[in-house]
Amino acid sequence: MSTTTFPPSDPLTWKQADTDVHVATRAGEFAGFVEYDGSAHLVHDNRGTELGAFGSLDDAFRALEDAQSPAPRGPLFAPILPRAWRRRTRRARA
């Protein structure tokens, strides 16, 4: 199974598939969908996992866009520990 990654600059394209369903694609690939259940807009990613319920369609669109953006990476270097934490433990003398 292959996974396709898209640059974050490539925007989602939305199409209304039914009166209560909007489908998102990115670079021609399925990215997710939003369905309205009568009380809230439910957002699903490209694997069908529900990402949440939102009161407005715009909020639902933004939620899928945020879920599609890559996660921030951690720092390249380990943080420097305070000097007291770097010391070796000393054995007690008898």
Side-chain angles (χ1 to χ4, degrees):
M1 181 166 118
S2 66
T3 57
T4 307
T5 57
F6 302 106
S9 61
D10 198 7
L12 288 177
T13 303
W14 290 94
K15 296 197 178 186
Q16 188 168 2
D18 201 357
T19 56
D20 55 352
V21 177
H22 290 78
V23 178
T25 58
R26 175 171 281 148
E29 297 286 326
F30 176 70
F33 67 97
V34 175
E35 66 176 329
Y36 184 67
D37 70 353
S39 62
H41 298 276
L42 304 174
V43 180
H44 301 269
D45 66 3
N46 60 343
R47 296 179 181 218
T49 305
E50 188 173 324
L51 301 176
F54 300 88
S56 74
L57 188 59
D58 289 335
D59 290 342
F61 285 172
R62 259 191 305 279
L64 186 60
E65 182 68 45
D66 292 345
Q68 296 285 322
S69 62
R73 295 178 58 171
L76 294 176
F77 301 102
I80 297 173
L81 296 175
R83 179 173 222 148
W85 293 357
R86 287 186 280 163
R87 291 186 189 154
R88 285 192 250 162
T89 56
R90 294 184 183 177
R91 298 170 77 191
R93 293 185 180 184

